[in-house]
Amino acid sequence: MSSLVEAQVQSDLDIAPLLLPARVLRNDAEALQAAHELADAARQQAAQRDRQRKLPWAQIEQFTRSGLGSISIPRAYGGPQVSFVTLAEVFAIISAADPALGQIPQNQFGILGLILGCGTERQKKQLLQSVLEGWRIGNAGPERGTKNTLELKARITKDADGHVINGQKFYSTGALFAHWVAVKALNEEGRQ
């Protein structure tokens, strides 16, 4: 069975697909071409998926396998480092075909920027390489009952096995499709 068919079967069951290898694009032109190919495929059943509240598993897998998930990764880390204009255009193309498909991976790019801005070199190498290999990043940030997105109630504490996060998140776009989930919480000292 082809991997796209497997992903479609899994999408019918709402089961996460296996981690499949991703292509690494080389430049802006390849990113735009991949976006148009994905949009053409996604557009065909987008309204029906939305009406039936079906998750776009196969389309997200195509997004990742095409190399679009890593287009903002700098060349120094093995990515194509497309321009911000191209990144925005990729999302405009995809979102015009299927708004859900444009929304789901958008937090990944914000988190990649955060990793590049404040991650350790070890974190950058591990996380960026994993995205190049087809891993996806989701988020779990905002919480219900808070004044704004900066206020946090979730806590991270140490236990015998490592760390435990306690709290409730309600905005977690992409987390269901993710291999990594970035979670905002306060530690024992009250620091984020």
Side-chain angles (χ1 to χ4, degrees):
M1 185 182 313
S2 79
S3 55
L4 189 55
V5 172
E6 288 173 4
Q8 184 60 50
V9 168
Q10 289 173 331
S11 74
D12 292 341
L13 301 172
D14 281 346
I15 297 170
L18 299 173
L19 178 64
L20 300 171
R23 177 177 172 210
V24 177
L25 300 169
R26 293 176 293 183
N27 54 46
D28 293 51
E30 286 186 1
L32 292 171
Q33 180 181 348
H36 283 291
E37 289 169 4
L38 174 60
D40 290 344
R43 184 177 295 111
Q44 294 174 19
Q45 299 294 321
Q48 181 179 352
R49 277 191 307 279
D50 190 50
R51 231 181 356 267
Q52 296 174 352
R53 300 185 54 82
K54 286 191 171 205
L55 299 173
W57 286 113
Q59 294 73 26
I60 286 294
E61 195 59 53
Q62 184 179 348
F63 173 91
T64 304
R65 292 197 71 196
S66 73
L68 289 169
S70 63
I71 60 176
S72 67
I73 294 178
R75 289 181 189 94
Y77 293 96
Q81 191 176 350
V82 302
S83 71
F84 290 118
V85 170
T86 296
L87 181 63
E89 192 169 345
V90 162
F91 273 92
I93 292 165
I94 293 168
S95 296
D98 184 343
L101 188 55
Q103 175 69 21
I104 291 165
Q106 59 94 12
N107 281 301
Q108 175 164 309
F109 292 90
I111 294 167
L112 288 173
L114 183 64
I115 292 165
L116 288 166
C118 64
T120 66
E121 195 57 32
R122 182 173 171 244
Q123 289 169 329
K124 290 176 189 177
K125 285 180 180 174
Q126 178 184 7
L127 295 169
L128 298 177
Q129 183 60 43
S130 71
V131 171
L132 288 166
E133 292 171 0
W135 293 55
R136 290 183 290 270
I137 303 173
N139 78 309
E143 303 174 17
R144 288 201 192 280
T146 58
K147 294 176 190 167
N148 56 51
T149 60
L150 300 176
E151 184 182 342
L152 296 174
K153 294 179 182 179
R155 297 290 188 260
I156 183 167
T157 55
K158 292 181 184 177
D159 75 358
D161 296 322
H163 291 84
V164 174
I165 297 177
N166 288 298
Q168 290 186 327
K169 303 294 182 171
F170 79 99
Y171 183 81
S172 54
T173 302
L176 186 59
F177 299 90
H179 302 97
W180 293 104
V181 178
V183 180
K184 290 192 323 186
L186 299 175
N187 66 12
E188 285 115 346
E189 291 84 42
R191 292 193 334 238
Q192 185 171 314

